[in-house]
Amino acid sequence: MAIVGINNTADATAADVAALPADAMAGATAADFANMPADAMSGMSADMMAAMPPDAMGGMSADMMAAMPPAAMEGMSADMMAAMPPDAIGGMDAGMMAAMPPEAMEGISPDMMAAMPPEAMEGMSPDMMAAMPPTAMEGMDAGMMAAMPPAAMEGMGPDMMAAMPPTAMEGMDAGMMAAMPPTAMEGMGPDMMAAMPPDAMGGMDADMMAAMPPDAMGGMGPDMMAAMPPDAMGGMDADMMAAMPPDCMEGMSPDMMAAMPPDAMSGMDADMMAAMPPEAMEGMGPDMMAAMPPDAMSGMDADMMAAM
């Protein structure tokens, strides 16, 4: 099989490719593309792409990908994506990403994700994100995360979150956090939490907080605590409280304290109590006080008592 109308792909030009009927690509092979000059791909169209056998994409390189018009990616499928060498994705840009049908992302792998230029992620959409296999997120890094439009995070699921390297969370911001479905937080771990910039926590809400595994709170720091909207603390429970490092309580405020469910205080201990700014106690209510373990009170001092 071959590309009908091109006798020697090594001599093909963009004009030669553009002049072909779409179905000429039906017999294309990986060898045909591997032999083709990269700039010939600028003659490719979406209909040609859609007519290609998936395994022909095995001959694709990063330079060939970069030469394709973004609109050609409208013809991409999941099988074609899966057949590409991972490093071919190095030629992807934001326009190409945005033009792809969301379901094409079902074919992406961790190695392909890792090879993608960060700026290509600017073209990511929620539907594309939702279509990706969770394991593909193993290839995510902080630069790629930071480049994504916040709305793309609407497609994040818990398995995808759990598969990401913790360092990828360094690219998170408050807008991206706010766009995530609460269920995505079920995949959060302590190392991921610790890697997030503190101001990303400005996008947290009570539902997201409630969805997190308690042990994720082991990565919380005082700056992260201070950046959270007070009403996010409405999702806190005793197990989450107990998992927090004591020093994160340095970021507690009266409004955050007042927003917590009273029974969350049963996870408090003396070290956590001692780390709190005295003014945070202004938010303490009688039900919260009643829920605290007695030994937590040994962390109380006169200034805290006076602030209540």
Side-chain angles (χ1 to χ4, degrees):
M1 301 289 285
I3 300 173
V4 176
I6 295 181
N7 294 326
N8 184 0
T9 56
D11 296 329
T13 66
D16 293 334
V17 172
L20 296 172
D23 60 6
M25 288 290 175
T29 66
D32 289 331
F33 280 103
N35 291 329
M36 195 180 288
D39 58 7
M41 297 300 289
S42 62
M44 183 73 73
S45 70
D47 289 343
M48 290 179 174
M49 179 73 79
M52 254 194 313
D55 58 8
M57 297 296 288
M60 187 70 67
S61 70
D63 289 343
M64 296 175 79
M65 176 70 76
M68 277 199 291
M73 300 301 288
E74 294 170 11
M76 179 73 79
S77 70
D79 289 342
M80 296 172 77
M81 177 72 80
M84 275 199 296
D87 59 4
I89 291 287
M92 180 79 71
D93 65 22
M96 298 172 79
M97 174 73 80
M100 270 198 297
E103 60 270 17
M105 298 299 288
E106 295 171 7
I108 206 156
S109 70
D111 289 343
M112 297 173 84
M113 179 69 82
M116 215 182 313
E119 60 269 18
M121 299 297 287
E122 295 170 9
M124 181 70 70
S125 71
D127 290 343
M128 297 174 82
M129 176 70 77
M132 280 197 291
T135 54
M137 300 301 287
E138 294 169 9
M140 179 73 77
D141 66 24
M144 296 170 77
M145 175 72 79
M148 274 197 295
M153 299 299 287
E154 294 169 13
M156 180 74 72
D159 291 344
M160 300 175 78
M161 177 71 80
M164 271 198 293
T167 52
M169 299 300 287
E170 294 170 5
M172 180 74 73
D173 65 25
M176 298 172 82
M177 176 72 80
M180 271 198 296
T183 54
M185 301 298 287
E186 295 170 9
M188 181 70 72
D191 291 344
M192 299 175 78
M193 176 71 79
M196 275 198 291
D199 58 6
M201 299 300 287
M204 179 75 74
D205 65 24
D207 290 338
M208 297 172 80
M209 176 72 79
M212 273 198 296
D215 65 358
M217 299 299 287
M220 180 76 74
D223 291 343
M224 298 174 80
M225 176 71 79
M228 267 199 297
D231 58 7
M233 298 298 287
M236 179 75 71
D237 66 23
D239 290 339
M240 298 173 81
M241 177 71 79
M244 280 198 292
D247 68 351
C248 75
M249 300 301 286
E250 295 169 9
M252 182 70 74
S253 71
D255 290 343
M256 296 173 80
M257 176 71 78
M260 274 198 295
D263 59 5
M265 298 299 289
S266 63
M268 179 77 73
D269 66 23
D271 291 337
M272 297 172 80
M273 176 70 79
M276 270 199 295
E279 62 270 17
M281 299 299 288
E282 295 170 10
M284 178 76 71
D287 292 345
M288 299 175 81
M289 181 68 76
M292 265 201 297
D295 57 6
M297 298 298 290
S298 63
M300 180 80 70
D301 65 21
D303 290 339
M304 297 172 80
M305 182 70 74
M308 277 198 297

